[in-house]
Amino acid sequence: MSVKIEYHKFDVVVFGAGGAGLNAAQVASQYCSTAVISEVYPTRSHTISAQGGISAALGNLEEDHWHWHMFDTVKGSDYLADQDACEYMTKLAPQYIIELEHIGVPFSRTPEGKIAQRPFGGHTAEFGKRPVKRACYAADRTGHVMLQTLYEKAVAQKTQFFSEFYVLELLVNDGAVNGLLCWDIQNGGFHIFHAKAVVFASGGCCRIFKTNSNAHINTGDGLAVAMRKGFSWSDAEFIQFHPTGIYLAGNLITEGVRGEGGILLNANGERFMEKYAPTIKDLAPRDIVSRSMVKEVLAGRGVGPKKDHVLLKIDHIGAEAIMEKLPGIHELALVFAGVDCTKEPIPVMPTAHYQNGGIPTNYKTHVIKGFGSNPEETVPGFFAAGEIASASVHGANRLGTNSLLDLVVFGRTAGEEAAKYANSISFVPLAENAGQEGVELLQKFLNSNGENTFGPVYEELRTVMETNVGVFRTEELMTEAKEKLQVIKTKMDNFRVNDKSSIYNLELIEALELNNMILVSQALTECALLRKESRGGHAREDYPERDDANFLKHSEVTLDKDGNIVVGYRPVRMKPLTVEPFPVKPRVY
Ligand SMILES: Cc1cc2nc3c(=O)[nH]c(=O)nc-3n(C[C@H](O)[C@H](O)[C@H](O)COP(=O)(O)OP(=O)(O)OC[C@H]3O[C@@H](n4cnc5c(N)ncnc54)[C@H](O)[C@@H]3O)c2cc1C
């Protein structure tokens, strides 16, 4: 390769500076040299916008146990979660939350000074009997305070940050992961980070949907980069559609609003969740609430001139309570819906929110090889945590507040495991052609002079995904999506990036992200077509029942050597670490 590349060497390199990445980094930095690569300044990562809370069975306001939390997590996942990982996460949760408190996260408090807790969808006491207050929170800015605190902690531990560096390629030699190729967005130029261990913490992919709650960075780059090296994305078909996105805008209105007493109403003013989930009503898991909302609209009971949305009413808890506990929501509703929620209901519809699957790992965050090999076999030097990863605690549907917990528990575990691993081996040398693929990909787009540009192609992509692979899915719709995505893919061969400079060229980054989003969309659609059942976030009108006989298994999707999408399956780890497996029963709420 004639191109100039700058080389760096760190024991551990973390890809992503959200809650998972910063937590992994602040831990790893305590044991070995650690770098964090992020496309944006760390505190602009999507974790900053997490609102409602982080779960832990602290029992500060009423009796609670990690067993109940684990039960809810497994049941909420529609039994696709790996139960050893669920046990690991829910059992460690109380201890890790206290640790967060001790490093400075300013949680909201009860009058006695304990960490305050609120109810959240799907979290129950006594194995489903009644909602329980399990979500710890800092008003409606929980992710904000966590990210800031973890960033400070990482800086104090002398983590080295490479902000506005864009990851192009995962480096692998002789079966071991040993670094990343990046592009310096600010100054231009390629950099190779040679590492003993690489931690993926690059967040989710919901920007592929037209209506979504995610930040602009959530384009699934980590998934695409991993799949190009033959590593898999597990349970790709399970996207979480959060019920309460602001109508037309998609911005999130936290489930904490319903936790604080908010209710959903149809055009007749009926609290329709009483019909769909008689026990926990508006606090049923997100997949159930989203589908119920769509059903109301399809039945002609939607609100507005187009009868295409429903209402979220919260004014009855009083303006004072709203301004104390949900100030950010008040502002969001005012700015994006023009509604003062202390007086009027907020117009809402489901919004693509979370990628339930991810790069498969065991409960210690070591990435699993997958595809026919022993399901326990891991990839040397490769770790993953946070939304990009799948341990798997979310299975087919994540419970609210379990993602921030995932960042805290698995982010920390990834930091510990990566450091331990790095301290036990020497550097695996870089392959002769290390970085060549990524360099060529970037140069292809930088030099491109074709007809298609970002705006129209992205619009087409996200519209197809929303219309054809959305809340309700069918064979027909998804087959059409597959064909359309193939056409969209070919548009990238006739693409144009107008900006030819190498300094802060965001048009170039958009092109690379779009290229990744197309691959991610194709992989997701393929898995969704093959899963002929309804489970969690994957609802098929043509296969409305859950089919445990044929589909109680994780899907895995990747690219083969010729660049074709291939799909395989892996068994669910049904055995917890210490307690007996749960019996598999249909979900009734
Ligand atoms: C609006 C909203 C509210 C939420 N509220 C809650 C809540 O109350 N409770 C809860 O439990 N969960 C909540 N979630 C979910 C949760 O916040 C996210 O799943 C979680 O924060 C993801 O964290 P992460 O560390 O995995 O990734 P992110 O925070 O998304 O960070 C990803 C990182 O990867 C980097 N990156 C990505 N691509 C590249 C690239 N190519 N090169 C370099 N860097 C790259 C980015 O720069 C960024 O630093 C919410 C999510 C949203 C969107």
Side-chain angles (χ1 to χ4, degrees), residues 14-18 20-22 24 199-203 383-388:
V14 180
F15 171 13
L22 291 184
V199 179
F200 266 39
S202 58
F383 301 81
E387 192 166 337
I388 181 77

Side-chain angles (χ1 to χ4, degrees), residues 195-215:
K196 290 179 181 172
V198 175
V199 179
F200 266 39
S202 58
C205 69
C206 282
R207 293 297 298 183
I208 59 172
F209 291 91
K210 187 164 179 160
T211 309
N212 70 80
S213 68
N214 281 199

Side-chain angles (χ1 to χ4, degrees), residues 15-22 37-42 44-55 120 142-143 147 165-168 201-204 213-215 217-222 225 251-252 254 286 353-354 385-388 398-405 407 513 516:
F15 171 13
L22 291 184
I37 316 289
S38 175
E39 187 179 349
V40 291
Y41 190 76
R44 298 187 71 84
S45 302
H46 186 60
T47 302
I48 202 77
S49 50
Q51 303 167 350
I54 173 166
S55 54
F120 240 79
T142 315
L147 198 67
F165 272 61
Y166 183 80
V167 173
L168 289 163
S202 58
S213 68
N214 281 199
I217 49 166
N218 296 133
T219 52
D221 289 340
V225 162
N251 310 55
L252 193 79
T254 173
R286 294 175 175 175
H353 182 55
Y354 186 81
E387 192 166 337
I388 181 77
R398 168 177 75 86
L399 290 189
T401 70
N402 265 359
S403 169
L404 289 182
L405 180 62
L407 310 183
E513 287 179 334
N516 287 341

Side-chain angles (χ1 to χ4, degrees), residues 50 143 179 252 315 411 447 471 566:
L252 193 79
D315 57 316
N447 299 326
V471 176
V566 284

Side-chain angles (χ1 to χ4, degrees), residues 249 292 322 375 394 452 455 468 520 565:
S292 308
I322 292 177
H394 310 305
N452 302 305
N468 293 38
V520 165
I565 289 175

Side-chain angles (χ1 to χ4, degrees), residues 7 169-173 176-181 191-194 198 225 229 231 430-431 433-436:
Y7 289 83
E169 187 188 340
L170 173 63
L171 306 181
V172 186
N173 194 11
V177 161
N178 65 345
L180 294 170
L181 169 79
H191 292 249
I192 278 186
F193 291 84
H194 188 188
V198 175
V225 162
K229 292 290 164 161
F231 299 116
L430 291 169
N433 60 352
Q436 190 172 346

Side-chain angles (χ1 to χ4, degrees), residues 113-128:
K114 293 181 184 166
I115 295 174
Q117 295 188 279
R118 57 167 60 129
F120 240 79
H123 289 278
T124 68
E126 288 188 70
F127 307 109

